[in-house]
Amino acid sequence: MSIVFNPEKQYRCTIIRGKAQNEIDDLLPAYAKVITDICPCEKSIFIELFDKAIVKYLYSPTQKTIANHRTEIAGKLFGMWWEDENGVVYASERTVRLMESQDNPEFFKDVITKMQFPNGMDKIQTTLDRIKHSINIRPVSYILKVLLLSEEQGFALTKDEIAYYILNSLEVLQGKVSPELAVSKIIDRRKRKIFKRVEYPGKQGSYCMQHITELLNIIELANLIRHERTKKAIIVRLNRRELSVISYFAESAMDVPDFNVYSYNLDDSEQRKKLSYDWIKYYASSDDKASMFATSVESLTKAEEKEEPWHIPGPLGIDTTVIGEEGERIVFEREKGRVRLFNERLVNKVIYFGKQRGLGYDISSIRAVLGPSAEHAIYIEVKSTKRVTRPSNPLKDQFDLTRNEWVAAEQHKDNYFVYRVYITNDGIFVFIMNDPVALRDTGVIYAEPLKYHVEFDEKAGRLQEWKN
């Protein structure tokens, strides 16, 4: 029996509210740094240390907003930490991975693999209502499949269409409507010049569309879609440079969610607790295919860029097989170009050392300025990160320097530079910091030792033999 799709059956399926896209991109590395520094630890200690540490990354914070960053955003929405039955808090797998990769879109791809309705992050009343309405869907996979199908037929969807026919459609959210049927319905309505928007009597547009905007923002932060504003509508397009990841998501569009909320008896208080703990552990774990989520420079940057004083247009067309780390490649090629413009014969003085560990810098170059110091050496350490949005203004950020890098900074002083490279959807931006040791000494930046190498002999303590 064929299913008749009635999109007029609407249901508001919200997600936890985050922050503006740019603010999320700014704060994500800070969340990860704070959480990995203090975990594992007991819950009360986690609350105290997280709140104390995150304050310096926030503007005009209140205790309420600080708690919201810890619980609702870093905890429930992004699954960056989880608490076990004994009250011990741990950094999630994806948080640890983010610290290593500095790849924000990769992080968000991993988040949305676990996005589902219903879930265990919502208040129990919300979950019960979704169970009552038989909600059961992987919303991101479904959206990406619909976008694939629509673009294959030569048209792009508007944000209003995604809202009305997918994310606010009861029958879609119940898993009853195939992506093919949803696309067919949208095409039919367009031909008949029927255009629908999510509306609730007596409610403003922000209430009607907020939950749609929140979810689409996260998919865009994962680098899988783009929003294009026209005079008549907001168009949502796939980022086809991420087609392999998009296809991976789309394959599971009609699969039931992996986490079965329906298996819990939520009339029982103990079962509610079990749902909460089970969900947190599930949601904080990384997807089996997380290794395929790494974001390339080419998938982020656009062909046309605006020139700014600290802005490197991208993509640069660099051979990715020559040098491994993308930020280092970008700076190396840019530095060669800078020196070449000064004096072609001096280009050979720009040397890449990225694969040679222990030096404390990635690239050696020269000042290449008029005067007697033209060929004086400079040393560049590259710290790169990938994100969808451009860095905020004013800027707050952080990175780690190893002991070797700090020693090199102490040794080379004014000849030592740190290039903080932001690879974004708006192009490639570089924040250039000269002589971090002097900046630390004058209070412009804050720097603390992260690790201590300890050597000892018998005078430092006592040797004991422990027997069973």
Side-chain angles (χ1 to χ4, degrees):
M1 180 179 177
S2 61
I3 296 174
V4 178
F5 175 29
N6 180 8
E8 276 61 63
K9 293 181 180 179
Q10 294 276 288
Y11 180 82
R12 189 169 183 265
C13 207
T14 60
I15 69 168
I16 291 172
R17 294 188 63 176
K19 300 292 181 181
Q21 280 187 324
N22 194 272
E23 187 176 359
I24 290 173
D25 255 352
D26 288 342
L27 286 171
L28 193 67
Y31 290 152
K33 170 66 175 169
V34 170
I35 292 167
T36 54
D37 277 353
I38 63 181
C39 289
C41 63
E42 193 268 332
K43 180 68 174 290
S44 62
I45 296 174
F46 174 75
I47 293 172
E48 177 187 351
L49 295 182
F50 182 97
D51 291 4
K52 183 179 179 181
I54 204 67
V55 165
K56 60 187 174 185
Y57 300 103
L58 306 177
Y59 295 97
S60 303
T62 65
Q63 195 55 50
K64 183 178 179 181
T65 59
I66 293 169
N68 186 64
H69 281 283
R70 171 174 30 86
T71 59
E72 298 299 299
I73 302 175
K76 293 180 180 179
L77 184 59
F78 296 146
M80 301 187 75
W81 59 269
W82 62 280
E83 178 188 358
D84 69 11
E85 294 87 343
N86 299 313
V88 178
V89 178
Y90 299 87
S92 71
E93 292 177 32
R94 70 172 60 99
T95 300
V96 174
R97 187 181 183 89
L98 176 64
M99 287 297 295
E100 297 170 353
S101 69
Q102 293 291 295
D103 185 337
N104 288 15
E106 177 189 60
F107 175 92
F108 289 116
K109 289 170 194 153
D110 193 39
V111 167
I112 59 180
T113 60
K114 302 293 180 73
M115 281 280 186
Q116 65 171 74
F117 299 134
N119 55 59
M121 73 174 76
D122 292 317
K123 294 178 180 178
I124 191 64
Q125 294 84 355
T126 302
T127 303
L128 288 169
D129 191 71
R130 290 178 184 172
I131 290 173
K132 175 184 174 182
H133 285 87
S134 302
I135 305 300
N136 211 29
I137 190 175
R138 299 169 181 257
V140 176
S141 293
Y142 194 96
I143 290 168
L144 294 176
K145 180 64 174 180
V146 168
L147 288 172
L148 272 175
L149 291 170
S150 64
E151 290 190 8
E152 285 171 4
Q153 296 189 46
F155 70 95
L157 297 183
T158 68
K159 182 178 178 180
D160 282 333
E161 287 169 333
I162 292 173
Y164 190 83
Y165 294 99
I166 301 174
L167 289 178
N168 218 68
S169 167
L170 176 62
E171 292 178 345
V172 168
L173 295 169
Q174 290 171 333
K176 294 180 178 178
V177 181
S178 70
E180 291 79 6
L181 182 55
V183 171
S184 176
K185 178 65 72 173
I186 295 170
I187 292 174
D188 176 66
R189 292 287 179 89
R190 280 191 177 188
K191 288 179 179 177
R192 294 192 285 143
K193 299 189 183 304
I194 299 173
F195 302 101
K196 295 283 191 175
R197 300 185 66 183
V198 173
E199 294 178 335
Y200 289 92
K203 297 291 186 181
Q204 296 184 345
S206 59
Y207 173 88
C208 300
M209 290 293 291
Q210 185 64 49
H211 56 300
I212 312 297
T213 299
E214 294 287 345
L215 186 53
L216 291 178
N217 278 349
I218 295 174
I219 304 174
E220 187 167 27
L221 286 170
N223 197 40
L224 302 182
I225 62 172
R226 301 278 189 263
H227 287 82
E228 297 178 9
R229 292 185 177 273
T230 68
K231 290 183 179 180
K232 293 184 178 181
I234 298 175
I235 307 298
V236 180
R237 298 186 187 276
L238 293 172
N239 176 12
R240 288 192 164 267
R241 295 177 179 177
E242 293 271 17
L243 195 56
S244 62
V245 177
I246 291 168
S247 298
Y248 169 70
F249 277 97
E251 288 173 1
S252 59
M254 289 300 289
D255 293 352
V256 296
D258 287 337
F259 189 90
N260 185 7
V261 176
Y262 287 86
S263 66
Y264 295 83
N265 175 15
L266 298 184
D267 292 329
D268 184 287
S269 61
E270 290 302 314
Q271 282 281 292
R272 291 182 182 185
K273 283 184 183 179
K274 181 170 172 51
L275 166 64
S276 178
Y277 282 120
D278 290 350
W279 168 261
I280 290 169
K281 288 189 70 172
Y282 164 77
Y283 192 59
S285 63
S286 287
D287 186 79
D288 292 340
K289 297 292 181 67
S291 59
M292 70 178 285
F293 294 161
T295 310
S296 68
V297 175
E298 291 75 18
S299 72
L300 272 170
T301 51
K302 298 176 181 177
E304 296 181 5
E305 307 295 344
K306 295 178 181 178
E307 282 290 349
E308 296 182 21
W310 61 316
H311 182 204
I312 300 177
L316 303 179
I318 303 165
D319 182 0
T320 59
T321 63
V322 177
I323 304 171
E325 208 282 319
E326 290 160 318
E328 294 167 13
R329 288 191 291 110
I330 291 165
V331 174
F332 179 58
E333 291 295 327
R334 188 71 172 190
E335 191 64 16
K336 286 198 299 183
R338 184 184 70 84
V339 173
R340 183 178 289 111
L341 286 174
F342 179 76
N343 190 325
E344 176 75 32
R345 69 177 181 83
L346 298 177
V347 172
N348 64 342
K349 291 185 177 290
V350 183
I351 304 170
Y352 176 73
F353 293 102
K355 294 182 180 179
Q356 187 172 332
R357 301 305 170 192
L359 292 176
Y361 53 87
D362 299 307
I363 298 162
S364 69
S365 184
I366 59 172
R367 288 198 172 272
V369 293
L370 293 174
S373 64
E375 295 187 43
H376 288 191
I378 63 171
Y379 305 90
I380 301 170
E381 174 61 28
V382 181
K383 298 295 181 182
S384 59
T385 185
K386 299 172 188 173
R387 48 188 280 170
V388 167
T389 64
R390 64 173 59 203
S392 292
N393 184 19
L395 177 65
K396 285 188 177 183
D397 198 3
Q398 49 81 34
F399 54 79
D400 291 340
L401 289 176
T402 66
R403 181 179 182 277
N404 284 339
E405 290 159 1
W406 189 258
V407 169
E410 290 177 322
Q411 177 185 352
H412 299 298
K413 297 181 176 152
D414 189 55
N415 295 317
Y416 191 89
F417 295 80
V418 179
Y419 281 41
R420 180 59 161 167
V421 180
Y422 300 88
I423 303 169
T424 82
N425 181 226
D426 286 324
I428 297 169
F429 300 82
V430 182
F431 186 86
I432 300 175
M433 182 185 297
N434 182 210
D435 196 351
V437 175
L439 292 174
R440 190 276 312 269
D441 292 344
T442 55
V444 177
I445 67 170
Y446 173 76
E448 62 178 352
L450 299 176
K451 295 180 180 178
Y452 292 89
H453 176 69
V454 178
E455 297 181 356
F456 65 95
D457 60 21
E458 67 279 357
K459 295 188 291 293
R462 291 183 298 155
L463 178 65
Q464 298 178 347
E465 180 181 4
W466 287 8
K467 298 180 178 180
N468 293 331

